[in-house]
Amino acid sequence: PSNLNDRYIFDNFVEGKSNQFARAAAMSVTDKPGQTLFNPLLIYSTPGLGKTHLIQAAGNRMIRKNRSLKVLYITGEKFMLDFIGSIQKNKSSDFINFYRNVDMLLLDDVQFLVGKEQTQEQFFHLFNDLYQKEKQIILTTDRHPKKLIGLQERLISRFQSGLIADIQTPDLETRIAIIMNEAKQNNLE
């Protein structure tokens, strides 16, 4: 399973000046996944500004374009828990095979890997494998990669090798549009 929420699509993502670039980047990677300079695509912002919506919208768009693609959305915490579980159950090779056989990896909240050395090591090798196979990687974090103190330099270097897009706090008009859109989606006045 992709772990994607069908609710997150580009059509219901409210675009404004604050998120226009990140939205365009997320859409563009679905045109030629893994084969653009936007690999990896890293989107960062403070919490609640739409990072998760954007990466899941990219994943949902990919699946709609090609149902045979393996798209996986996962949080940094879930990745770490899966890794720990594979060690406990002596199933490390199953863990590696599962993650290395995706066509598009959407990793939300990369900052959760900070300070977790073995998880970072495992993710580093996964990242390299997917990148070399020209599989698309989209990451989110709550701050610029350079500010992820406790994350290995080689991971930061990988994250910065693609495109980094930030989302700023929306202006008043965009915030109102977001609220109106949410109300419409939830049948509220």
Side-chain angles (χ1 to χ4, degrees):
S2 67
N3 300 324
L4 292 169
N5 183 333
D6 292 343
R7 183 173 179 253
Y8 294 128
I9 57 175
F10 288 113
D11 290 343
N12 64 15
F13 183 84
V14 177
E15 183 179 336
K17 289 180 185 177
S18 60
N19 61 26
Q20 193 173 37
F21 180 69
R23 182 182 186 276
M27 282 189 77
S28 71
V29 299
T30 64
D31 293 330
K32 290 185 178 180
Q35 299 174 6
T36 68
L37 297 175
F38 304 164
N39 197 21
L41 169 60
L42 185 138
I43 301 170
Y44 75 95
S45 76
T46 55
L49 297 183
K51 299 180 300 290
T52 298
H53 189 138
L54 278 181
I55 68 169
Q56 288 204 35
N60 281 319
R61 186 171 189 224
M62 282 306 305
I63 289 173
R64 285 188 181 98
K65 287 176 123 182
N66 186 345
R67 290 240 177 247
S68 68
L69 289 179
K70 293 177 186 172
V71 175
L72 178 65
Y73 167 83
I74 192 158
T75 64
E77 180 181 21
K78 176 74 167 108
F79 180 82
M80 182 200 68
L81 293 173
D82 284 356
F83 175 57
I84 291 170
S86 75
I87 294 169
Q88 287 175 325
K89 297 172 186 170
N90 292 319
K91 301 227 180 222
S92 294
S93 59
D94 291 348
F95 172 85
I96 291 167
N97 289 333
F98 174 76
Y99 279 98
R100 290 188 180 187
N101 284 310
V102 299
D103 296 304
M104 178 182 250
L105 178 65
L106 311 169
L107 184 69
D108 206 356
D109 295 327
V110 169
Q111 72 273 6
F112 195 82
L113 304 181
V114 167
K116 294 155 181 93
E117 292 299 319
Q118 290 301 313
T119 304
Q120 288 181 43
E121 184 73 21
Q122 193 62 236
F123 186 71
F124 174 78
H125 294 295
L126 169 63
F127 183 101
N128 285 341
D129 184 71
L130 294 176
Y131 184 82
Q132 289 171 0
K133 292 177 184 172
E134 295 186 336
K135 305 300 182 180
Q136 183 65 51
I137 303 165
I138 306 178
L139 311 163
T140 71
T141 183
D142 64 356
R143 56 194 169 269
H144 193 280
K146 287 182 181 178
K147 294 183 179 177
L148 291 170
I149 309 301
L151 195 67
Q152 296 174 2
E153 279 299 317
R154 62 187 186 165
L155 276 175
I156 292 170
S157 174
R158 296 295 189 283
F159 296 168
Q160 294 182 137
S161 68
L163 179 67
I164 298 176
D166 70 328
I167 300 175
Q168 297 295 317
T169 303
D171 57 31
L172 177 64
E173 293 81 6
T174 305
R175 289 195 308 262
I176 292 169
I178 291 168
I179 291 170
M180 292 175 71
N181 187 52
E182 283 296 312
K184 181 180 176 186
Q185 293 289 322
N186 293 300
N187 296 318
L188 300 171
E189 294 246 352

